[in-house]
Amino acid sequence: PERAMRCRTAIADLSNAAEPVDALVIAGDLAENGKRAEKDYLAEQLNTIPTVRCILPASGNHDTRLRHISHSREKFGVFCKKVNSSLDVDRLYYAYDVNGYTFIILGTTKIMFEETCFDEAEFAFLRAELARGTKNGRPVFVVLHQPLRRTHNLPDSWDYPGDERGAVGPQSDQLRGILNEYKNVFLLSGHLHRGFSINTYEEVGNIHSVNIPSLGMWNKDSEYGNAGQGFLMEVYPEKVVFRPRDFIFGGFIPEYAKEYAIV
């Protein structure tokens, strides 16, 4: 109930935005237990936001673990259709263009408890979409629930020991290699439940890695650890700006803002 209340408060804040928002991007963990009723409730809430033009959800480990992958795909597809009528997906990954900028949403291809798993078809899809999205020098935004290993203070920022814990998993370095083949790639992740801090942003070769705090839960071990955190991301031809916001208190947190030049 507390998380639902925070979600509703954040939605009310976003609904009062002075300007329309082109896309609301959710980096996974749509529901605690991945149940249809949970996702139906979230879809009802999200569909009340008058200022958002489209919603781009990703799946997280809480959406897929402990259930057959086919069930997760089916429920994710239903949820996507409810919050974005132009999304017709039958798997946990897809691409979507917003004002000419490509968003690549990734997801697991088999049941994993904390990590994610890619098959060759998803890697081929990723390479094709990266090539398409960056061909004119524009930035591309890759959305994946888990961050790369040894980024954002991992593994120390996770609650359990092990080099892979809290991250993508054994395929982390392979994914890092693919993303590093292109310029102006932004990797937007979640999963860590860490608020705004010196570990929010990280450069990983050519990759600009940004870890998104939790909205419903309190964020741990951070300089700014309140619940209800997120970003307003502004994309311009020459730069990308991340403006952290506390959606519960209704204000920006300028000391954790970040600006990237497009090269």
Side-chain angles (χ1 to χ4, degrees):
E2 293 83 3
R3 296 185 200 176
M5 179 184 66
R6 293 171 192 143
C7 182
R8 291 194 298 270
T9 302
I11 285 173
D13 181 65
L14 186 55
S15 296
N16 289 323
E19 299 290 338
V21 177
D22 292 313
L24 171 59
V25 180
I26 307 172
D29 278 0
L30 305 168
E32 173 68 23
N33 300 298
K35 293 183 177 180
R36 187 184 301 275
E38 293 175 303
K39 293 183 178 180
D40 286 347
Y41 176 80
L42 178 59
E44 290 174 4
Q45 299 299 312
L46 293 174
N47 286 333
T48 66
I49 309 175
T51 53
V52 171
R53 289 175 172 153
C54 78
I55 297 174
L56 302 180
S59 62
N61 62 299
H62 278 265
D63 301 310
T64 59
R65 67 187 184 185
L66 304 179
R67 59 193 71 251
H68 197 282
I69 192 65
S70 64
H71 297 163
S72 296
R73 289 173 182 155
E74 189 268 335
K75 282 185 287 188
F76 183 67
V78 170
F79 177 82
C80 287
K81 198 70 174 178
K82 286 184 175 181
V83 298
N84 186 341
S85 60
S86 61
L87 273 182
D88 190 9
V89 299
D90 58 2
R91 53 196 182 185
L92 300 182
Y93 60 93
Y94 63 93
Y96 196 94
D97 285 4
V98 179
N99 296 342
Y101 296 96
T102 300
F103 286 77
I104 304 170
I105 284 73
L106 301 179
T108 191
T109 56
K110 74 174 187 179
I111 298 172
M112 306 288 284
F113 190 76
E114 292 284 355
E115 301 168 344
T116 193
C117 179
F118 308 101
D119 60 17
E120 287 305 313
E122 185 169 7
F123 275 142
F125 159 85
L126 174 61
R127 286 190 172 94
E129 292 298 333
L130 285 168
R132 180 181 69 85
T134 60
K135 66 180 180 181
N136 293 322
R138 290 188 168 189
V140 166
F141 304 93
V142 179
V143 184
L144 174 63
H145 184 59
Q146 295 89 345
L148 297 169
R149 75 184 186 98
R150 294 201 170 275
T151 62
H152 307 290
N153 201 37
L154 285 171
D156 292 342
S157 59
W158 198 241
D159 294 332
Y160 303 96
D163 191 52
E164 303 290 348
R165 298 305 297 267
V168 168
Q171 293 175 294
S172 180
D173 290 345
Q174 187 178 1
L175 175 63
R176 182 195 308 241
I178 294 172
L179 298 178
N180 260 308
E181 294 174 8
Y182 304 86
K183 292 182 179 180
N184 301 314
V185 173
F186 290 80
L187 177 60
L188 311 180
S189 63
H191 192 51
L192 302 183
H193 303 289
R194 259 57 183 184
F196 299 126
S197 73
I198 60 172
N199 297 311
T200 296
Y201 309 98
E202 185 153 349
E203 301 302 299
V204 188
N206 290 333
I207 308 164
H208 305 304
S209 186
V210 181
N211 189 249
I212 302 172
S214 172
L215 184 76
M217 294 177 63
W218 283 95
N219 291 284
K220 302 172 286 185
D221 302 334
S222 304
E223 296 152 27
Y224 192 96
N226 294 359
Q229 298 179 29
F231 291 97
L232 177 66
M233 183 178 73
E234 301 174 354
V235 183
Y236 303 95
E238 74 285 355
K239 65 182 179 180
V240 176
V241 180
F242 287 85
R243 299 179 63 198
R245 186 169 179 85
D246 187 323
F247 289 98
I248 303 299
F249 291 107
F252 289 104
I253 312 164
E255 59 266 36
Y256 295 106
K258 179 80 171 179
E259 182 175 309
Y260 296 91
I262 302 302
V263 298

